[in-house]
Amino acid sequence: MKDNQPIINDQFIRNVLISLNGNQAVRIKFPEWGRLHIDRRLPFLCIYRRPAQRQDKGTERLLLGQASYILIREEDAESAGFKKLLKSIVANLLNDFGSFLLFELWSGETEEIDEEEMQPARFTIKTTKQHVPHVMLEELESALLEIPIENRKHEVQLDYCIHCEPLHMSPLLSCEELSCEELVDAGCFRVGLNTTPIYRRNGELLPYILRQLHHWLTQALRRSLYTFIHQYTKHKPSHFNELGRHSMTRSVWETDKQLAQIKEQFDMLFHVTPVNNYEAWLQFKENGFTKTPVFNYRPRPIDPDLLKRQLYKVPVERIEDPTLAQIFRSQRDEIDRQLTMVNDRNTSNFLYGSLQVYGGVEPWLLELAKKILNGIPQEQTTEEGRYLSADEFAERAEQLLSGYRQEMPQLQSQIEIRDDIPGILVSRGNLMIGRHSRFSEDRVEATLAHEVGTHIVTYLNGKAQPFHQFYSGMANYESLQEGIAVLAEYLVGGLKPQRLRGLAARVIAVHSLIKGADFVEVFRTLHLDFGFSSYLAYFITLRVFRGGGFTKDAVYLKGFSQLLDYLGKGGELEILYLGKIAQENIPFVEELRWRKVLKEGALTPHYLKTEQGKRLLKTVRNGMSVLDLIEGNNHEIRVGS
């Protein structure tokens, strides 16, 4: 139905019922204030009535994450038209489900919330003395007690009463006018929830607390509604997140698109990667490795200030869905910080921005890196093995892409050999290869699994999703993304001990950078103390110092270690290939799958289909740490080493 301002009359009610009978979404604004939102046929309806006699800022937002709700003014809720509408909806849905729940939410009248004393959040659950959904109420009480908001304690009280509505308000269904005894007899339950407005102080909103309560209360209500549905209706959803909204509002699509458009105007890796890396190496070598090389960068074709102005015009605050709001808000914050990094490139401020976006080196990660470097001896490099040129490697990459094109004919990823790229870089689903790069034959399969089988596959799968964030990359996605890519190397039998040393060396280099070491000092540490060849030590140091101090290189080992822990605890791997997601986003992605918002991945990485890949993945799932790779605790682990 159109987003206009209808009058609640018989024709209006008929239109609502027609949509309901067709299991179509209903979203209509009421004339003065409020709306009716029913995502699809469900055996519950959440209601908020805005009080006529007092201000009640923020409370209506607490229901916006539900799939079926009504927001309405108290005076409008008294009208015969609304009461008839409400009874018609309940009666219509009762026929399908056998039972129905009317859930009403309101806030207490007190406005004096003292932040310094951290008053507890008080919830009062109200239900009728007869016809009580006991199991659902137990789940609601438990879920409310678990809500984590600024370390506040919660108090939950259960009140059995005649009516389940706010003080001074009349019952939603008047038995005298609408014979609601028939609805009760048919299985219409009523539950109310009174919450103290901890999200207000002296009548003004406290947005951070409101946002947190909205998120956690949405989850608590979903869990409780799921319990109600399973216990008292014919409907049997498989998971409580199935009760979330399937349809998206226009503001969701607008926000997603605008954030992606801003992010696509710049590429962080391109902006921080030197264009003269090979020439700088030759000069560094000629100077006897004693003088910090000078790096040149591409011109910046964007104005960070103008993009930030666009960024904060994106209406993230209009997103009703708390899950999507959190994803978009995190994305906006990271884009803001990345634009600052672009602006600060080649200055001392760049490092501080990098620490905000990619983090630093935690003590456990530094200790892990040291154990790897001390546990794996440095092998002497030799030229005896076969090396592939950039052109030869590109041919192998094209063969792999051709296999993926059989699964996805519309695949448009390209391979480009460039003079201004050190090594390999994947950007927007395209593979870019440095012209001067050489690739050891025994590392080719691992490199292809890393770059094509992971970075390009997740980009293309993300492209198939309804949200742009899945291919442009959610906030903080790099750690998990690189962890999956390193796992891919292991699954093709190509995670060599020396490769692990290289990843550990990046952690040491980042840590040294943060502690104030200069380029030459870090190079000497890697070359002289840990035995890396002069060029490899240079290349690792270059990666870490590019742009002014790029801490991203520490996430490879970090992400891999955290991924092994996740999989060892039973985490699902396949979900990680739906797009470029962060580990903290996994619960959100799982929720969106249950809500039927996301699609299954269009591409499956080639290494997950092989017998070796399946066997090694089973080893990982049985429990394995990074140190197992160097300690030989499992005979499978040293495959390819």
Side-chain angles (χ1 to χ4, degrees):
M1 301 188 71
K2 293 184 178 180
D3 188 23
N4 51 21
Q5 295 188 348
I7 299 172
I8 303 177
N9 53 27
D10 288 345
Q11 183 58 50
F12 173 81
I13 294 172
R14 279 196 293 271
N15 290 339
V16 170
L17 295 180
I18 288 172
S19 295
L20 277 181
N21 290 331
N23 203 25
Q24 298 175 342
V26 180
R27 187 174 173 84
I28 313 169
K29 286 185 178 179
F30 291 128
E32 297 297 329
W33 180 88
R35 70 176 69 106
L36 165 65
H37 176 97
I38 301 179
D39 190 79
R40 59 198 184 278
R41 295 182 71 82
L42 290 164
F44 66 87
L45 183 61
C46 301
I47 298 174
Y48 167 76
R49 288 183 276 180
R50 191 176 74 178
Q53 302 301 320
R54 64 182 177 91
Q55 293 290 318
D56 191 26
K57 291 183 179 179
T59 307
E60 77 281 356
R61 300 188 193 180
L62 299 178
L63 286 183
L64 295 184
Q66 302 306 321
S68 181
Y69 68 83
I70 292 178
L71 309 180
I72 192 165
R73 300 189 309 168
E74 178 187 355
E75 52 268 43
D76 294 332
E78 298 292 333
S79 69
F82 175 75
K83 290 180 179 295
K84 187 174 182 180
L85 168 68
L86 186 58
K87 182 189 174 185
S88 299
I89 292 172
V90 174
N92 182 282
L93 294 171
L94 265 171
N95 289 332
D96 267 7
F97 299 107
S99 290
F100 192 87
L101 176 67
L102 275 178
F103 178 89
E104 184 166 15
L105 174 73
W106 65 93
S107 74
E109 295 188 12
T110 177
E111 293 288 343
E112 297 301 323
I113 301 299
D114 191 337
E115 279 188 299
E116 295 182 0
E117 293 184 6
M118 294 296 286
Q119 283 186 259
R122 297 184 180 90
F123 300 102
T124 302
I125 305 170
K126 290 180 173 284
T127 189
T128 54
K129 293 182 178 180
Q130 288 128 4
H131 211 47
V132 181
H134 292 287
V135 181
M136 180 258 186
L137 296 180
E138 290 175 3
E139 178 63 31
L140 179 57
E141 180 181 17
S142 174
L144 292 174
L145 287 171
E146 293 173 8
I147 292 178
I149 299 178
E150 297 189 341
N151 298 318
R152 291 177 187 263
K153 295 181 180 179
H154 305 312
E155 298 176 1
V156 180
Q157 178 181 345
L158 186 57
D159 184 9
Y160 296 93
C161 50
I162 298 175
H163 300 296
C164 307
E165 59 273 338
L167 192 65
H168 307 311
M169 289 191 189
S170 63
L172 281 167
L173 292 177
S174 170
C175 295
E176 291 77 14
E177 295 176 12
L178 297 175
S179 300
C180 71
E181 294 97 334
E182 298 174 6
L183 295 177
V184 172
D185 292 341
C188 181
F189 293 82
R190 289 174 291 163
V191 173
L193 180 63
N194 180 0
T195 176
T196 50
I198 60 172
Y199 43 86
R200 290 198 300 265
R201 184 181 60 180
N202 300 325
E204 295 302 318
L205 284 180
L206 304 173
Y208 291 97
I209 295 179
L210 178 61
R211 192 179 300 154
Q212 289 179 61
L213 185 58
H214 180 205
H215 170 77
W216 292 109
L217 187 58
T218 297
Q219 296 297 312
L221 291 182
R222 248 183 233 161
R223 283 172 49 185
S224 307
L225 292 168
Y226 171 82
T227 300
F228 169 82
I229 291 171
H230 261 268
Q231 291 292 325
Y232 303 102
T233 77
K234 302 174 184 177
H235 187 39
K236 304 298 178 188
S238 300
H239 193 276
F240 68 85
N241 276 325
E242 281 191 38
L243 302 179
R245 293 160 65 158
H246 292 182
S247 60
M248 299 292 115
T249 60
R250 186 184 302 114
S251 59
V252 168
W253 304 122
E254 291 175 354
T255 298
D256 176 61
K257 181 179 179 181
Q258 291 174 34
L259 287 175
Q261 287 176 339
I262 294 171
K263 192 169 184 177
E264 287 174 359
Q265 292 186 53
F266 69 100
D267 188 311
M268 178 57 66
L269 287 180
F270 258 78
H271 284 302
V272 302
T273 299
V275 296
N276 66 326
N277 63 88
Y278 186 68
E279 294 80 3
W281 155 247
L282 296 177
Q283 189 64 47
F284 185 57
K285 184 177 180 181
E286 183 178 331
N287 291 330
F289 310 128
T290 60
K291 186 177 179 181
T292 298
V294 176
F295 298 113
N296 300 326
Y297 297 91
R298 298 172 180 81
R300 288 165 284 196
I302 62 170
D303 186 333
D305 291 341
L306 292 180
L307 283 183
K308 284 192 178 187
R309 187 179 302 167
Q310 293 179 33
L311 182 65
Y312 283 97
K313 287 182 179 179
V314 178
V316 176
E317 69 282 353
R318 288 168 48 196
I319 304 299
E320 298 178 1
D321 190 304
T323 295
L324 294 174
Q326 186 160 338
I327 291 173
F328 292 146
R329 194 177 297 111
S330 298
Q331 180 71 290
R332 181 187 62 187
D333 293 346
E334 182 168 281
I335 292 173
D336 181 8
R337 291 185 173 95
Q338 288 178 330
L339 287 170
T340 299
M341 289 176 65
V342 172
N343 188 68
D344 292 339
R345 188 182 70 184
N346 238 16
T347 71
S348 58
N349 288 333
F350 184 87
L351 173 59
Y352 303 118
S354 183
L355 286 168
Q356 287 185 316
V357 174
Y358 304 107
V361 177
E362 296 91 336
W364 70 266
L365 182 59
L366 179 62
E367 185 65 23
L368 175 61
K370 290 178 178 178
K371 287 181 178 179
I372 291 173
L373 289 171
N374 293 328
I376 301 176
Q378 172 68 25
E379 292 181 357
Q380 296 297 316
T381 57
T382 173
E383 297 295 325
E384 293 180 0
R386 181 171 183 270
Y387 284 79
L388 275 65
S389 66
D391 290 311
E392 291 173 318
F393 183 83
E395 290 180 10
R396 295 279 289 272
E398 181 55 45
Q399 292 173 9
L400 184 56
L401 279 176
S402 296
Y404 284 120
R405 285 194 184 95
Q406 295 179 10
E407 297 181 54
M408 181 185 282
Q410 70 273 26
L411 187 153
Q412 296 181 346
S413 295
Q414 301 295 319
I415 299 173
E416 185 178 356
I417 298 176
R418 300 176 58 133
D419 293 316
D420 57 350
I421 295 292
I424 299 178
L425 187 151
V426 171
S427 177
R428 299 192 173 100
N430 298 311
L431 180 66
M432 301 180 183
I433 307 170
R435 187 174 301 279
H436 299 289
S437 300
R438 298 168 68 243
F439 303 88
S440 174
E441 175 68 42
D442 63 358
R443 278 282 303 160
V444 169
E445 290 304 316
T447 305
L448 290 174
H450 184 118
E451 305 293 350
V452 178
T454 303
H455 293 330
I456 291 181
V457 164
T458 52
Y459 177 87
L460 295 172
N461 280 341
K463 271 280 190 180
Q465 298 301 333
F467 299 112
H468 294 75
Q469 312 307 312
F470 277 79
Y471 71 83
S472 66
M474 293 184 182
N476 197 32
Y477 81 90
E478 287 88 354
S479 184
L480 177 59
Q481 181 76 182
E482 298 301 350
I484 303 169
V486 175
L487 175 68
E489 299 180 34
Y490 170 70
L491 296 181
V492 298
L495 187 55
K496 309 285 186 177
Q498 297 307 306
R499 168 62 167 165
L500 275 179
R501 289 192 95 245
L503 299 182
R506 295 181 185 183
V507 173
I508 297 296
V510 170
H511 176 71
S512 300
L513 163 73
I514 295 171
K515 291 300 182 181
D518 63 21
F519 189 99
V520 173
E521 289 173 327
V522 173
F523 168 82
R524 287 175 175 171
T525 296
L526 299 180
H527 181 45
L528 301 178
D529 296 347
F530 291 108
F532 287 91
S533 69
S534 57
Y535 181 74
L536 187 52
Y538 162 81
F539 185 70
I540 293 172
T541 308
L542 156 68
R543 290 177 61 100
V544 170
F545 276 82
R546 54 184 163 168
F550 202 48
T551 63
K552 175 182 177 290
D553 268 23
V555 307
Y556 290 77
L557 184 60
K558 177 181 179 179
F560 182 48
S561 178
Q562 291 176 333
L563 178 62
L564 291 180
D565 182 64
Y566 164 81
L567 294 174
K569 293 178 179 177
E572 181 185 353
L573 178 61
E574 289 71 17
I575 194 175
L576 308 184
Y577 291 98
L578 294 181
K580 297 185 180 295
I581 65 177
Q583 186 147 359
E584 57 263 34
N585 292 141
I586 293 175
F588 298 152
V589 175
E590 290 174 339
E591 175 188 330
L592 293 174
R593 285 176 80 193
W594 281 113
R595 289 166 54 183
K596 306 184 188 306
V597 175
L598 300 182
K599 302 176 182 178
E600 293 304 313
L603 294 175
T604 300
H606 62 284
Y607 48 81
L608 294 185
K609 300 177 183 179
T610 67
E611 290 304 316
Q612 175 180 261
K614 293 175 182 177
R615 187 180 78 252
L616 294 179
L617 181 57
K618 184 177 180 181
T619 299
V620 172
R621 291 192 185 282
N622 287 335
M624 186 179 80
S625 71
V626 176
L627 292 180
D628 289 331
L629 292 166
I630 65 174
E631 293 172 356
N633 290 338
N634 189 306
H635 70 280
E636 298 280 11
I637 293 169
R638 299 306 295 269
V639 146
S641 63

